[in-house]
Amino acid sequence: MTRTTLRVLLVAALMLVTLAVLVAVRGHEQTLAEGRVVLVELAPVDPRSLMQGDYMALRFAIDNELQARTVQAGSPVLPRYAVLQLDDEGRATLAELSESPPAAAAARVAMRIRQRDGASSIGPNAFFFEEGTAEHYTAARWGEFRVAPNGQALLTHLRDAELQRLGVIAR
């Protein structure tokens, strides 16, 4: 292989990687802009990590229900989507499990189920925040997600028991 051919292949590979990243970023931006707001009850685990900076380790109440259904099914693999029933304020409870996202409904939304360390979850396992602002998040009881029609969910904020957003207000 000549040097010229190698350079062309490297440039083509770099362009493909860049394109893939841009498509992924665009998808996340679209979910943040147009996704449905869903509030999922938290079960906080640990507020800090000395190695990674300040963060709150998260577990969601719905994850506990997913774990119970895994035990009932006798299989570590669940369907791909958790179908959530929403109340008037957007708070979610687990309605059912499904292999595909159901048709759009006013009071229902589907979130993808992730497998991590042998456990099922609908969201991330941590929420990072600016160092020195941990006290702003100690009252967290709800996670605010933006959910796309395909079940992709992005955690955007934490909320307290009265559903008020927590965090530092931008200056």
Side-chain angles (χ1 to χ4, degrees):
M1 187 179 300
T2 67
R3 284 181 165 248
T4 303
T5 304
L6 183 60
R7 285 184 181 153
V8 168
L9 289 174
L10 287 173
V11 168
L14 180 62
M15 289 173 58
L16 283 173
V17 169
T18 302
L19 179 63
V21 168
L22 290 174
V23 167
V25 168
R26 176 66 182 129
H28 288 324
E29 286 177 349
Q30 187 171 3
T31 298
L32 290 172
E34 301 169 9
R36 191 167 181 185
V37 174
V38 175
L39 303 176
V40 179
E41 190 174 8
L42 294 175
V45 181
D46 179 19
R48 298 176 64 85
S49 166
L50 297 176
M51 297 301 289
Q52 295 179 330
D54 286 352
Y55 80 101
M56 177 178 285
L58 300 177
R59 181 124 177 107
F60 300 93
I62 289 172
D63 293 348
N64 296 334
E65 293 180 58
L66 293 175
Q67 184 67 28
R69 292 197 184 190
T70 300
V71 171
Q72 282 179 340
S75 169
V77 180
L78 288 173
R80 296 178 59 196
Y81 295 91
V83 180
L84 308 178
Q85 181 71 35
L86 305 179
D87 70 7
D88 292 339
E89 293 180 308
R91 292 179 294 207
T93 55
L94 183 61
E96 63 181 301
L97 301 176
S98 176
E99 278 301 324
S100 60
R108 286 191 161 202
V109 66
M111 289 175 70
R112 276 194 209 134
I113 298 173
R114 306 172 190 189
Q115 296 294 321
R116 181 178 32 254
D117 300 328
S120 301
S121 180
I122 59 166
N125 62 358
F127 182 82
F128 289 86
F129 45 82
E130 188 176 333
E131 188 174 338
T133 62
E135 68 277 356
H136 294 283
Y137 300 97
T138 56
R141 298 295 175 265
W142 296 89
E144 178 183 324
F145 288 84
R146 288 286 182 156
V147 182
N150 68 358
Q152 176 184 358
L154 299 174
L155 179 64
T156 58
H157 298 90
L158 296 180
R159 293 188 181 207
D160 64 14
E162 287 78 39
L163 305 182
Q164 299 299 310
R165 283 186 177 170
L166 301 173
V168 180
I169 304 298
R171 297 176 195 115

